Amino acid sequence: GAAPAPRYEVVVIGGGHAGTEAAAAAARGGARTLLLTHRIGTIGEMSCNPSFGGIGKGHLMREVDALDGLCGRICDRSGVHYKVLNRCKGPAVWGLRAQIDRGRYKENMQKEILNTPLLTVHEASVEDLLLTEPEPDHPGKCRVAGVVLGDGSTIHAGSVILTTGTFLRGMIFIGLEMHPAGRLGDQPAIGLAQTLEKLGFAVGRLKTGTPPRLAKDTIDFSGLEERAADNPPVPFSFLSEAVWIKPEDQLSCYLTRTTLNAQQIIRDNLHLNNHIRETTRGPRYCPSLESKVLRFPNREHQVWLEPEGLESNVIYPQGMSMTLPPELQEQVIKSVPGLEKAKILQPGYGVQYDFLDPRQLTASLESRLVQCLFFAGQINGTTGYEEAAAQGVIAGINACLRVHGKPPFIVSRTEGYIGVLIDDLTTLGTSEPYRMFTSRVEFRMSLRPDNADARLTHRGFEEAGCVSQQRYEQAVKMKAALEDGIATLKSLQFSISKWSQLIPEVPISSSRRSAYDILQYPEANMEVLARAVPEPLGKLAQWRELAARLKIEAAYEWCVVSQQQEIEEVRRDEALRLPEDLDYFAIDASLSAEVREKLDSNRPQTIGAVSRIPGITPAAIVNLLRFVKTNHQKTEKLKALPQTGNLFTDKTHAGCIRSSSGCVLWQCQGVEQRCRMCRS
């Protein structure tokens, strides 16, 4: 007979930034994992910009790294220009960013993925999903049991993660030409898109674009504004003491601007551009040059000339994404100062693709419609490598936990930018490509890049099993050193006059007496304090990373303390969970028909998530909260009653509450009773 189909615990479809993080996270968690990709050679491909990080995005990378993700460490081994953005503001909103050598990044990522224990990589296209009967104790019409490959063979799996990026019915646009592709030179995923639609998933359409690539040796940099990299460069990973490149060997970026001549060329030729038509939503915060010309006329627009690698002759003109015919793109390029003689190596193009409404997912990124099916990356409506990587690591962790029968690993809005990203997507959905910003985060002072390990590494080790012993021990060591350092600084107290004598360069203007209080002044740091009081502060100042973190902890102490009460209130709301199969049209709560419809379509998992749905009134939240608390109290009373046989009955009483799983709750002669279908 035919050989049985191979079986893996987790199968990941797609080898982009979400897929690689998902596959590695599942394997680190102990799951036998298979990564399926069209071409192994494209694993780690940076399809668009040659950079990682930025404002908000750098936070995501630090959090992915704290969960032992890959991208931070790979960037520390592949960057050619490291820069911390937003330095003019506080450390809570600094944005770690780096220009990356495309070739090195891809090479290093492939080396990592192909040498990860428990992870197998195969080249194959996926055309369909294997489905089976659902588990009775979870919502969903069916359960995924594996995948069907392009050659008709099958692979069985406990969980499947879809990270198809722009490949779901992807279509590339250049001028009036269009052809099916998920990326220039790669075929789209058609069969999978049709399967998801047949299953009843709500599917939308989004678009994005990429600029033309230019030959470095044809650009005149002499009159352009140079931006040098940081010295010393700041690594992304908590495991990296330094990045791979010497500070003096880093490459510079250059700034130029578009002209009104470029605007005129674009305006005169809009009829030759299919992609610009507003039938499909594009990225608000990374728009095409055509969109900027239409939205902000008669302006010069910034163009950053970014290197694509240490030995590469390719320049990426950030800010010049366009989909005009190639000959017109050349005219636009030559109208820009410094680019008058620039040669185009590859024209810019646009991509339109299917995405799934992320409100169809739980906070673990598992689908509500199909059990054990997870989604991560651009398929959920996001844009950017960092957003994809963040979703990938969470989907990988949870797919692994799911097959091992363990509770999901959820990062809340109070714990990380990853939590904000996923909560925004699964609660609010999106109608345009979603990008992470610091402004989306309520508790920015607590969720800083410097303390991502303190927030997430312990949980990743204990609950998710995805963090290595080495990383865990390093995080424990740093946490202990911080606690000891803060205690030492607080115990060291002098009079104001004594401090003024010791550190005259710091203008002390209040009754602060401890060294920790003094550290809160902008002019003070651990080096200044150690010179004034060598014993016991000298040792603290010698550990550079510890000294920097002590300064940040001191600076934000009052903010964090004042935010703590708000955080606890949010956590209390998040702890009030709503039944996954609750029938909002049947519950006995004072809710309008409109509110019931919104709750039914969004399926919030907690009262906190309810409060973030547009159109849900404060009164509706209070009434739903009352219902949840009352039901919780009744359930607790029921559990306290002796579980005798006559307490249960098969008879369904009039006026009972029936949920979609068939569970029935009613009152009979003053005693609450449940049907035999559910005794929880």
Side-chain angles (χ1 to χ4, degrees):
R7 178 175 178 82
Y8 292 86
E9 289 177 296
V10 176
V11 168
V12 181
I13 303 169
H17 302 286
T20 49
E21 293 291 354
R28 287 198 307 276
R32 283 187 64 245
T33 305
L34 174 66
L35 174 61
L36 293 170
T37 178
H38 282 126
R39 286 188 292 152
I40 290 175
T42 60
I43 288 175
E45 185 84 65
M46 300 177 74
S47 303
C48 195
N49 54 303
S51 62
F52 260 95
I55 297 170
K57 290 170 175 279
H59 291 69
L60 289 176
M61 290 189 67
R62 273 290 173 99
E63 291 177 5
V64 168
D65 183 70
L67 293 170
D68 228 354
L70 308 178
C71 61
R73 283 182 285 131
I74 303 295
C75 283
D76 289 343
R77 302 203 295 266
S78 312
V80 294
H81 173 112
Y82 295 86
K83 190 89 173 172
V84 177
L85 308 182
N86 242 10
R87 283 263 194 195
C88 60
K89 298 184 179 178
V93 291
W94 286 354
L96 280 70
R97 187 179 185 276
Q99 294 298 136
I100 306 297
D101 186 311
R102 288 185 190 274
R104 282 189 66 91
Y105 186 90
K106 188 160 69 168
E107 180 186 338
N108 287 325
M109 180 59 81
Q110 288 176 15
K111 197 179 295 181
E112 187 82 32
I113 288 294
L114 296 173
N115 290 285
T116 297
L118 297 178
L119 176 57
T120 304
V121 184
H122 282 169
E123 286 186 344
S125 64
V126 175
E127 290 301 313
D128 207 348
L129 300 174
L130 292 176
L131 302 169
T132 187
E133 290 296 309
E135 297 171 355
D137 55 342
H138 286 83
K141 61 166 74 172
C142 56
R143 178 170 60 86
V144 74
V147 297
V148 180
L149 303 183
D151 63 4
S153 62
T154 59
I155 295 173
H156 292 294
S159 291
V160 173
I161 308 174
L162 284 183
T163 68
T164 50
T166 60
F167 281 72
L168 274 188
R169 274 198 284 247
M171 186 73 71
I172 278 185
F173 291 78
I174 303 178
L176 296 176
E177 295 179 12
M178 62 181 81
H179 61 272
R183 177 174 54 209
L184 205 60
D186 291 309
Q187 290 301 304
I190 305 295
L192 209 48
Q194 292 169 344
T195 296
L196 295 173
E197 236 172 13
K198 286 175 189 171
L199 284 167
F201 284 99
V203 177
R205 196 90 173 143
L206 292 175
K207 66 181 178 182
T208 187
T210 191
R213 308 301 195 264
L214 309 178
K216 184 177 182 179
D217 56 10
T218 63
I219 296 173
D220 180 8
F221 294 99
S222 60
L224 305 183
E225 192 178 324
E226 181 180 2
R227 293 295 171 90
D230 285 348
N231 186 2
V234 178
F236 284 103
S237 177
F238 289 99
L239 294 183
S240 302
E241 290 185 15
V243 299
W244 75 287
I245 194 170
K246 293 178 182 176
E248 61 272 19
D249 291 340
Q250 294 182 94
L251 303 179
S252 291
C253 295
Y254 292 84
L255 178 62
T256 184
R257 288 174 172 81
T258 62
T259 61
L260 294 182
N261 188 17
Q263 173 181 290
Q264 197 58 49
I265 296 167
I266 290 169
R267 281 192 167 278
D268 290 346
N269 293 282
L270 288 174
H271 62 287
L272 298 176
N273 190 335
N274 265 332
H275 189 65
I276 195 61
R277 294 170 188 167
E278 290 299 327
T279 52
T280 304
R281 296 294 289 273
R284 178 187 298 264
Y285 302 104
C286 184
S288 66
L289 185 56
E290 296 99 326
S291 294
K292 287 190 281 192
V293 164
L294 291 174
R295 205 178 300 167
F296 309 108
N298 304 319
R299 290 192 195 178
E300 293 181 344
H301 299 284
Q302 286 189 345
V303 178
W304 287 97
L305 301 178
E306 301 176 345
E308 293 214 348
L310 210 56
E311 307 296 331
S312 173
N313 188 43
V314 183
I315 289 291
Y316 181 93
Q318 178 79 263
M320 291 200 77
S321 169
M322 54 180 150
T323 53
L324 287 166
E327 62 276 10
L328 292 172
Q329 291 190 32
E330 190 173 354
Q331 289 182 34
V332 172
I333 289 291
K334 290 185 182 299
S335 72
V336 175
L339 306 183
E340 293 88 353
K341 296 181 181 178
K343 179 185 175 185
I344 294 181
L345 300 174
Q346 174 191 299
Y349 63 90
V351 186
Q352 295 189 12
Y353 56 96
D354 283 356
F355 83 104
L356 273 67
D357 186 339
R359 290 174 295 181
Q360 299 166 108
L361 307 178
T362 67
S364 69
L365 296 181
E366 182 180 3
S367 149
R368 299 180 194 276
L369 278 176
V370 180
Q371 296 173 2
C372 301
L373 180 62
F374 295 77
F375 296 86
Q378 279 185 280
I379 193 172
N380 290 338
T382 59
T383 179
Y385 306 149
E386 305 81 4
E387 289 84 350
Q391 294 169 71
V393 76
I394 296 299
I397 288 169
N398 283 310
C400 173
L401 292 173
R402 185 77 163 84
V403 294
H404 291 161
K406 295 179 180 177
F409 180 80
I410 308 297
V411 179
S412 83
R413 296 185 77 90
T414 64
E415 290 178 298
Y417 276 57
I418 290 177
V420 174
L421 166 71
I422 292 174
D423 183 66
D424 279 353
L425 291 171
T426 57
T427 302
L428 306 177
T430 187
S431 58
E432 60 185 46
Y434 178 103
R435 184 204 193 281
M436 176 49 69
F437 285 108
T438 55
S439 57
R440 297 189 190 273
V441 182
E442 299 93 327
F443 305 114
R444 294 187 287 281
M445 306 302 181
S446 302
L447 310 182
R448 307 185 305 269
D450 64 279
N451 66 6
D453 58 340
R455 291 183 276 117
L456 295 175
T457 299
H458 181 82
R459 282 197 64 204
F461 183 79
E462 295 288 343
E463 299 172 37
C466 68
V467 170
S468 69
Q469 187 73 31
Q470 176 202 357
R471 184 182 291 274
Y472 174 69
E473 288 174 0
Q474 179 174 312
V476 168
K477 180 183 175 183
M478 175 56 78
K479 184 182 179 187
L482 275 169
E483 289 172 353
D484 290 348
I486 290 170
T488 300
L489 288 163
K490 285 186 173 180
S491 67
L492 192 66
Q493 301 203 11
F494 296 120
S495 66
I496 297 171
S497 57
K498 177 71 172 175
W499 277 121
S500 298
Q501 289 173 10
L502 289 170
I503 42 174
E505 64 267 42
V506 179
I508 300 169
S509 58
S510 69
S511 58
R512 295 175 178 178
R513 294 178 178 273
S514 76
Y516 196 63
D517 293 331
I518 302 302
L519 196 55
Q520 294 175 9
Y521 285 97
E523 297 83 1
N525 56 42
M526 284 305 302
E527 195 177 334
V528 168
L529 287 175
R531 281 200 303 268
V533 191
E535 183 57 41
L537 301 185
K539 288 182 181 178
L540 296 179
Q542 286 172 6
W543 186 355
R544 196 177 69 180
E545 187 188 351
L546 174 64
R549 289 182 67 162
L550 284 169
K551 169 68 179 174
I552 295 170
E553 290 287 344
Y556 283 104
E557 184 189 34
W558 66 274
C559 299
V560 171
V561 169
S562 64
Q563 272 190 355
Q564 201 56 45
Q565 186 178 349
E566 295 174 41
I567 289 173
E568 290 306 320
E569 287 173 8
V570 171
R571 285 180 177 165
R572 278 197 296 272
D573 285 348
E574 296 294 343
L576 292 166
R577 302 195 69 78
L578 297 165
E580 291 183 343
D581 57 355
L582 190 61
D583 187 343
Y584 289 103
F585 295 105
I587 61 173
D588 184 18
S590 181
L591 301 172
S592 69
E594 180 191 0
V595 166
R596 290 175 191 267
E597 286 173 12
K598 286 180 182 291
L599 291 169
D600 187 62
S601 64
N602 284 274
R603 309 299 309 173
Q605 291 185 282
T606 66
I607 287 293
V610 171
S611 67
R612 293 186 285 276
I613 298 173
I616 301 290
T617 62
I621 296 168
V622 169
N623 289 332
L624 188 60
L625 183 60
R626 189 178 294 127
F627 169 81
V628 171
K629 286 182 174 177
T630 303
N631 261 31
H632 178 71
Q633 290 165 2
K634 285 180 180 177
T635 304
E636 292 302 311
K637 286 178 184 176
L638 182 65
K639 286 179 180 176
L641 290 173
Q643 299 295 299
T644 56
N646 62 5
L647 193 64
F648 299 96
T649 174
D650 285 326
K651 185 180 177 184
T652 302
H653 291 228
C656 68
I657 298 172
R658 180 179 290 275
S659 72
S660 58
S661 68
C663 170
V664 179
L665 171 66
W666 68 89
Q667 285 200 333
C668 180
Q669 297 175 347
V671 180
E672 220 174 38
Q673 303 190 14
R674 283 183 181 270
C675 65
R676 286 197 173 96
M677 296 175 72
C678 178
R679 300 191 180 193
S680 61

